[in-house]
Amino acid sequence: MRVVVGQGSCGIATGAKKTVAALEKLIAEKGLNVEVGTVGCVGTCYLEPIVDVYEDNGDMTRYVKVQPEKVEEIVESHLVNHKVCEDLAITEEDKQFIGKQQRVVLRNCGIINPEDIDEYLAVDGYKAIEKVLKSMKPEEVIEEIKISGLRGRGGAGFPTWFKWNAAKASPGKEKYLVCNADEGDPGAFMDRSMMEGEPHRVIEGMLIAAIATRAHHGYIYVRAEYPLAVERLQTAIDKAMDKGLLGKDILGSGFDFDLHISQGAGAFVCGEGSALTTSIEGNRGMPRVKPPRTVEHGLFNKPTVLNNVETFCNVPPIILNGAKWYQGFGPANNHGTKAFALTGNVKNTGLIEVPMGTTLREVIFDIGGGVKGGDFKAVQIGGPSGGCLCISATEDHLDMNLDFDSLKKVGAMIGSGGLVVMNDKSCMVEVARFFMNFTQNESCGKCVPCREGTKRMLELLTDITEGRGTMEHIELLEKLSDTISATALCGLGKTAASPVVSTLKYFRDEYIAHVVDKKCPAGQCKAL
């Protein structure tokens, strides 16, 4: 018998370490031959701390919301007397949170110990590397990624193979590979959970990309606010080195690849490629004018491939199972699955993974369990950098497919994958003000449209929510939105106005109520 406790950031925040201590103490006192292990977050964050009990035959019982005071009942009943504690076990309804998903990149998160390389090897870890080194040429790897249709999961959905091929074709022997783990969108924690739950998958995906592009130096750029992710990534790198999977002459192939972690200070703008590489170089993270693109002149002015965590995590299963297998998920030109952080006014919050093309209705009501505290009103999708879109509660919008092309048609982007659900008690003007405040604070200040324009837009939105707004405020917001989107230097500035544009499009009546009637329909703006 084996017991594992979910110890991602969410589990630890809800008391998982105290639960582990209580389990170990009682097991020792009773002289039981039961191991207590560590796993990452399985995704059901709303049920943490989670304790899984595995029988010798492989059967598993999941216990949820296990605080230390509940440990004695589990130990006495299940571990000693082999009787399941039904009152603490996960319900059939909550099982659907996982059951209605299709997990590719999250397949092993919450299942294996992220700090034990042998557990990763036991679930076919690093087998894709062996396949690439023994039987595939770099061109064949890139072609397989091309056929799979894998598009970058960090924002705009750019074809992954195209970046790899461009970097491979760039002249010069010195090339770099960078993993963008600077996850800064409000309400987003997909990359964090992947790094905490299965760091070797990130490394393996990067290593395959390095072989395909002939890059010999790699960096994982992760924000310092993710200390657990940093710790587990470093442990994984060290153990991969010990196994000959990183460093010199990997698996006797003659291929060298060194991998380092670079910690960012938390600047949202460093999620943009050129700002990120500038930060790794030790300079202030600020974007530059493009072209040249990163694949031509990136880190240390060398050709650089830059993908995010989830993109790299998709690579090993594509290589192992084949591009045709990957095409079985999602619609044409939007193949694969997508991880989303489901938060806000929804009953079941956590990390989910569904095929591209899954509808908002399925995500919010089937997996998320429905809206909490009121009726559905809107969803903020993709974060500020992805073009946050507030969607009115119409049948068309709830049944809209979550994929790159479908969202683009309604003026949104899938972004990194944050989904913040809002009920009918949410004020959409205040939502726009919140995101504008975030964007304005995170502006690097390099270009005037973003530096000054977002500041002025925040002032206008503040006036409206505090009762000083007029119809002229709304007109000026629209003009500023157009100007900033057209003239800002980088993606942060170009999408800064998206919360305003989308809320004005779908909830214009709320703006008018604020400035004409001097009332907040949702009752959230205290001054009104």
Side-chain angles (χ1 to χ4, degrees), residues 1-7 16-29 32-39 50-54 66 71 74-75 79 111-116 119:
M1 187 177 289
R2 179 169 175 257
V3 177
V4 298
V5 182
Q7 293 190 69
K17 287 191 177 295
K18 293 180 181 178
T19 300
V20 170
L23 277 166
E24 291 176 337
K25 182 174 182 290
L26 277 172
I27 288 171
E29 287 176 356
L32 301 175
N33 184 26
V34 176
E35 174 193 356
V36 180
T38 296
V39 293
I50 293 172
V51 175
D52 291 340
V53 179
Y54 287 89
V66 183
V71 167
I74 294 173
V75 172
L79 303 190
I111 307 298
I112 65 173
N113 186 341
E115 299 177 1
D116 189 341
E119 290 200 17

Side-chain angles (χ1 to χ4, degrees), residues 140-157:
E140 293 174 326
V141 175
I142 294 174
E143 183 65 18
E144 193 74 5
I145 298 300
K146 179 181 179 180
I147 295 172
S148 75
L150 176 63
R151 295 168 68 174
R153 295 302 196 253

